[in-house]
């Protein structure tokens, strides 16, 4: 089955933690040129995603975009740096004692707003789990991408066959007309000579035959 070199496909996968969206676009290219844009934290899966795409499209300039939404996860941990909070309290209390004219108390809210006292902990993700989710989205996108290429390829094949039929008909017309070309040219050549030199002009027949043969070739 003929397949177009251009196409588009989109695939989604979601679980209780995150969702993945994979989009594939391609244009004609002599070799395989696959470019993937995805969050850097998931770059460990890039080569495997490329292999999935290449299995569906061994040639072409292919751009792959992968978006990840982690907003569904409710397991984000918060780190408390108690030692740092104590140091902030110590220094702010010391500052308060040195500046008695400034109103305000050193309280919990103030300490909690200090840099790095409270911060989200980086999530440790399971690479195999991430790969499986990415592959699921990429496979769906690749399948739809392949489907579109097949549809476009079928249209191209019909167009090529139609053009081929036109060429065959034109060729048949040329083959039918070709034997007449020499005689028609000889007639026109005689008429042109008569027009320029008069009807009484004598031109050797072999010269006219030579000119007609050259024209026919």
């Amino acid at each position: 089955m003929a397949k177009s070199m251009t196409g588009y496909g989109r695939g989604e996968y979601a679980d209780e933690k995150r969702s993945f969206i994979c989009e594939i676009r391609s244009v004609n290219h002599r070799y395989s040129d696959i470019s993937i844009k995805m969050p850097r934290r998931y770059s460990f899966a890039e080569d495997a995603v490329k292999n999935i795409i290449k299995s569906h499209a061994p040639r072409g300039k292919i751009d792959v975009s992968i978006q990840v939404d982690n907003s569904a996860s409710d397991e984000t941990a918060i780190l408390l740096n108690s030692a740092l909070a104590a140091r902030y309290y110590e220094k702010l209390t010391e500052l308060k004692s040195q500046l008695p004219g400034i109103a305000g108390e050193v309280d919990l809210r103030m300490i909690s707003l200090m840099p790095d006292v409270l911060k989200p902990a980086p999530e440790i993700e399971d690479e195999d789990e991430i790969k499986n989710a990415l592959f699921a989205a990429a496979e769906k996108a690749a399948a739809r991408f392949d489907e579109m290429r097949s549809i476009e390829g079928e249209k191209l094949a019909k167009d090529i066959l139609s053009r081929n039929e036109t060429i065959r008909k034109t060729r048949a017309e040329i083959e039918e007309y070709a034997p007449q070309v020499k005689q028609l040219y000889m007639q026109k050549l005689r008429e042109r000579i008569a027009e320029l030199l008069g009807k009484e002009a004598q031109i050797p027949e072999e010269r006219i035959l030579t000119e007609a043969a050259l024209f026919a070739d």
Side-chain angles (χ1 to χ4, degrees):
M1 178 186 293
K3 291 184 179 180
S4 171
M5 291 294 290
T6 61
Y8 171 80
R10 186 176 191 272
E12 297 183 40
Y13 176 85
D15 55 27
E16 65 278 3
K17 295 182 180 180
R18 59 187 70 82
S19 64
F20 297 83
I21 298 176
C22 178
E23 292 182 302
I24 304 172
R25 292 179 175 83
S26 74
V27 295
N28 193 16
H29 196 274
R30 184 177 180 182
Y31 304 106
S32 176
D33 181 7
I34 301 175
S35 174
I36 298 182
K37 292 183 180 179
M38 62 192 301
R40 183 177 295 179
R41 66 189 296 184
Y42 302 121
S43 59
F44 58 83
E46 184 172 329
D47 287 341
V49 172
K50 275 188 179 181
N51 290 333
I52 290 175
I53 307 303
K54 191 176 290 186
S55 69
H56 289 268
R59 289 197 305 118
K61 187 179 187 312
I62 303 171
D63 292 320
V64 182
S65 170
I66 296 176
Q67 302 173 46
V68 184
D69 182 2
N70 292 289
S71 60
S73 177
D74 59 359
E75 299 178 358
T76 303
I78 302 296
L79 294 180
L80 169 62
N81 192 331
S82 300
L84 181 61
R87 292 288 294 164
Y88 276 127
Y89 179 76
E90 177 186 342
K91 292 300 180 182
L92 288 170
T93 302
E94 181 181 339
L95 181 63
K96 171 67 176 172
S97 66
Q98 294 176 4
L99 302 171
I102 296 180
E105 298 297 329
V106 179
D107 57 14
L108 180 61
R109 182 177 181 278
M110 181 184 294
I111 300 299
S112 67
L113 294 176
M114 292 295 104
D116 297 327
V117 172
L118 297 172
K119 63 180 180 180
E123 184 181 357
I124 300 176
E125 298 181 300
D126 186 321
E127 289 194 3
D128 289 335
E129 181 182 297
I130 296 297
K131 281 184 178 180
N132 291 335
L134 276 172
F135 296 168
E139 283 286 2
K140 288 181 181 179
R144 293 189 177 112
F145 168 70
D146 212 24
E147 181 181 354
M148 181 176 177
R149 291 175 62 234
S150 295
I151 293 172
E152 290 298 319
E154 186 176 351
K155 291 179 182 178
L156 286 172
K158 288 181 179 178
D159 182 64
I160 291 170
L161 291 174
S162 174
R163 293 172 186 271
N164 185 54
E165 183 62 25
T166 301
I167 292 171
R168 290 201 303 176
K169 288 180 179 178
T170 305
R171 178 189 170 188
E173 292 173 1
I174 292 172
E175 288 178 341
E176 181 181 353
Y177 178 72
Q180 306 172 39
V181 171
K182 184 176 179 181
Q183 295 300 323
L184 290 172
Y185 183 71
M186 288 174 62
Q187 180 182 341
K188 288 184 178 180
L189 188 59
R190 288 192 179 97
E191 291 173 354
R192 184 63 173 161
I193 291 171
E195 181 183 336
L196 294 173
L197 303 179
K199 295 182 180 180
E200 304 301 324
Q202 297 294 321
I203 302 295
E205 187 69 13
E206 61 271 17
R207 179 66 184 275
I208 293 178
L209 289 172
T210 300
E211 290 293 330
L214 289 172
F215 178 80
D217 285 343

